[in-house]
Amino acid sequence: NAGVTQTPKFQVLKTGQSMTLQCAQDMNHEYMSWYRQDPGMGLRLIHYSVGAGITDQGEVPNGYNVSRSTTEDFPLRLLSAAPSQTSVYFCASRTYGGTNEKLFFGSGTQLSVL
Amino acid sequence: LAKTTQPISMDSYEGQEVNITCSHNNIATNDYITWYQQFPSQGPRFIIQGYKTKVTNEVASLFIPADRKSSTLSLPRVSLSDTAVYYCLVGDSGGYQKVTFGTGTKLQVIP
């Protein structure tokens, strides 16, 4: 079982460039989310989705766009990268509406913006 | 989600039992308490979840007093590989949406 798969693992961008971080899960989870983690800090929620076609903002949404066209995929787009977006990005998924829910995380994408 | 408070860091020697306490004074009736573990350069992973009293699995135990305003994660006989950051989350298991993490507790296990 693949679980939550994130690509790429590493990426270097120049200021102003755009890119998409990919996230896919094969567990048929309704809920998916994106976090960023800066050195020595906890995880901060960027955007989340409770199903295909439904997305909402988290704690730090500025500079990021998301869409959810399928249950499996939840890409995160940086339209114009800034050095402040240098961070490690984690995608997570879980079931929604049940009991004993737990988040499953991907292995992360380390992004550097120069 | 209810706000949680944890110690920023803890040190422990190998072989000792480690207890990490989380305060959540505003916990709601439907809220569950969930703990995650994060190793460097990895995403967090689920450790244990509970609602009241005590829960035990192969990794840890979770103690929750009757008033549920705090919880304690207990790691028996820690080893160097238990060095990680531990996060306490409180939320309605019925479908809370904005799942937020605090800064967690950084546990350093010393040889």
Side-chain angles (χ1 to χ4, degrees):
Chain A
N1 292 330
V4 179
T5 302
Q6 290 185 236
T7 55
K9 292 190 181 299
F10 303 95
Q11 182 71 48
V12 179
L13 292 178
K14 294 181 179 179
T15 298
Q17 287 185 316
S18 63
M19 81 158 295
T20 299
L21 306 185
Q22 301 291 344
C23 176
Q25 53 92 8
D26 61 357
M27 297 173 282
N28 201 31
H29 286 167
E30 300 94 336
Y31 181 97
M32 296 184 74
S33 55
W34 277 100
Y35 294 87
R36 61 175 288 175
Q37 185 171 37
D38 300 322
M41 304 286 288
L43 289 87
R44 291 186 291 171
L45 181 66
I46 305 172
H47 285 286
Y48 65 94
S49 168
V50 298
I54 306 170
T55 64
D56 206 344
Q57 297 180 350
E59 305 168 90
V60 288
N62 293 340
Y64 307 95
N65 281 349
V66 293
S67 60
R68 184 98 178 268
S69 57
T70 67
T71 299
E72 295 78 18
D73 300 300
F74 190 43
L76 178 72
R77 298 183 186 86
L78 285 71
L79 298 180
S80 178
S84 61
Q85 294 179 305
T86 293
S87 189
V88 180
Y89 291 84
F90 291 102
C91 178
S93 74
R94 65 172 170 88
T95 56
Y96 180 66
T99 58
N100 282 337
E101 297 172 358
K102 54 187 178 183
L103 284 166
F104 293 84
F105 282 83
S107 57
T109 295
Q110 188 167 327
L111 175 67
S112 295
V113 182
L114 306 177
Chain B
L1 292 183
K3 180 177 171 56
T4 60
T5 303
Q6 304 174 235
I8 294 175
S9 63
M10 296 179 67
D11 292 336
S12 176
Y13 288 101
E14 273 192 298
Q16 289 188 329
E17 178 184 73
V18 171
N19 295 311
I20 305 174
T21 297
C22 178
S23 297
H24 28 79
N25 292 322
N26 296 323
I27 189 169
T29 303
N30 293 334
D31 286 346
Y32 280 72
I33 301 155
T34 309
W35 286 80
Y36 289 83
Q37 175 190 56
Q38 185 181 27
F39 297 116
S41 302
Q42 295 185 25
R45 68 168 188 145
F46 173 90
I47 301 177
I48 198 166
Q49 184 181 74
Y51 183 78
K52 62 180 178 180
T53 62
K54 176 183 175 182
V55 179
T56 297
N57 62 21
E58 66 278 4
V59 177
S61 294
L62 179 60
F63 298 91
I64 305 169
D67 66 4
R68 303 198 328 120
K69 293 184 183 299
S70 67
S71 59
T72 299
L73 175 73
S74 181
L75 305 173
R77 297 179 299 280
V78 294
S79 65
L80 295 177
S81 62
D82 292 315
T83 293
V85 178
Y86 294 82
Y87 296 94
C88 165
L89 277 72
V90 173
D92 178 0
S93 187
Y96 56 95
Q97 299 181 356
K98 286 192 175 183
V99 184
T100 58
F101 287 70
T103 53
T105 298
K106 185 173 183 179
L107 172 66
Q108 181 69 50
V109 179
I110 305 166

